[in-house]
Amino acid sequence: MDSSLVYLVQTDTTVGFSSLNDEKLSTIKQRPTSKKILHTVDSFKTLNENTRVPKNFRKKVRNSKKTTFIYPNTKSFRVVDKNCDFYGFIHKFKILYSTSANKTTESFEKNFAINGADIIVENKKGFYETKASSIVKLSRKMMKKIR
């Protein structure tokens, strides 16, 4: 499997595009490339290889479900639960950029999503839109809920 391709997949939160090429994802979504895209990771080990979790919030990060954290290094990560259907996909790559499969500020449209993806990964449940992950920004001492 090629991580530079754009995959359309049902993520742990909603239908999304996943790839290691963040510029390609921004182009598909028609959004500025300066706007950052979150990473999905398969484990806390992978998370710790890519960022440092502030000591005050390690327990909070470990116990959170479907939550994206923005770390002091300005990178954002969401750890995918092992019981989720998406885990088998993300585990093959360990880390991928992930974003919802829609134009910026618009709702999910299947034709747009299919046309934007290089490879479509669909299971027997199909694609369905659910609630997006909550977003929390962490600094060394403070935590602020963004969404």
Side-chain angles (χ1 to χ4, degrees), residues 45-57:
K45 181 181 178 191
T46 307
L47 176 67
N48 287 328
E49 290 170 0
N50 291 283
T51 191
R52 184 178 174 281
V53 180
K55 192 171 189 174
N56 293 346
F57 303 110

Side-chain angles (χ1 to χ4, degrees), residues 22-144:
D22 64 331
E23 291 176 5
K24 198 170 183 181
L25 291 175
S26 293
T27 303
I28 291 168
K29 285 187 56 90
Q30 301 171 6
R31 68 192 256 179
T33 54
S34 60
K35 192 171 180 184
K36 298 193 182 227
I37 298 176
L38 74 95
H39 293 86
T40 49
V41 294
D42 68 334
S43 67
F44 290 102
K45 181 181 178 191
T46 307
L47 176 67
N48 287 328
E49 290 170 0
N50 291 283
T51 191
R52 184 178 174 281
V53 180
K55 192 171 189 174
N56 293 346
F57 303 110
R58 288 182 182 162
K59 188 173 183 180
K60 172 84 173 159
V61 170
R62 186 164 290 280
N63 293 327
S64 295
K65 304 284 186 232
K66 297 184 181 180
T67 304
T68 301
F69 290 95
I70 303 171
Y71 293 93
N73 65 357
T74 70
K75 292 184 179 179
S76 56
F77 294 90
R78 184 175 70 244
V79 179
V80 177
D81 185 36
K82 290 184 179 179
N83 299 324
C84 173
D85 292 337
F86 181 57
Y87 179 78
F89 177 79
I90 192 68
H91 186 63
K92 292 176 179 145
F93 297 101
K94 296 216 177 279
I95 185 171
L96 286 173
Y97 286 104
S98 183
T99 185
S100 59
N102 55 1
K103 288 183 185 176
T104 302
T105 70
E106 294 183 17
S107 60
F108 176 69
E109 190 179 306
K110 192 168 184 174
N111 289 334
F112 171 79
I114 290 171
N115 291 335
D118 295 325
I119 296 178
I120 299 163
V121 181
E122 189 172 9
N123 63 13
K124 60 186 171 219
K125 294 179 186 175
F127 295 125
Y128 51 94
E129 196 172 13
T130 59
K131 184 179 158 240
S133 66
S134 55
I135 300 175
V136 177
K137 185 173 184 174
L138 301 176
S139 64
R140 287 178 47 208
K141 301 280 185 195
M142 290 177 42
M143 177 173 76
K144 181 180 179 184

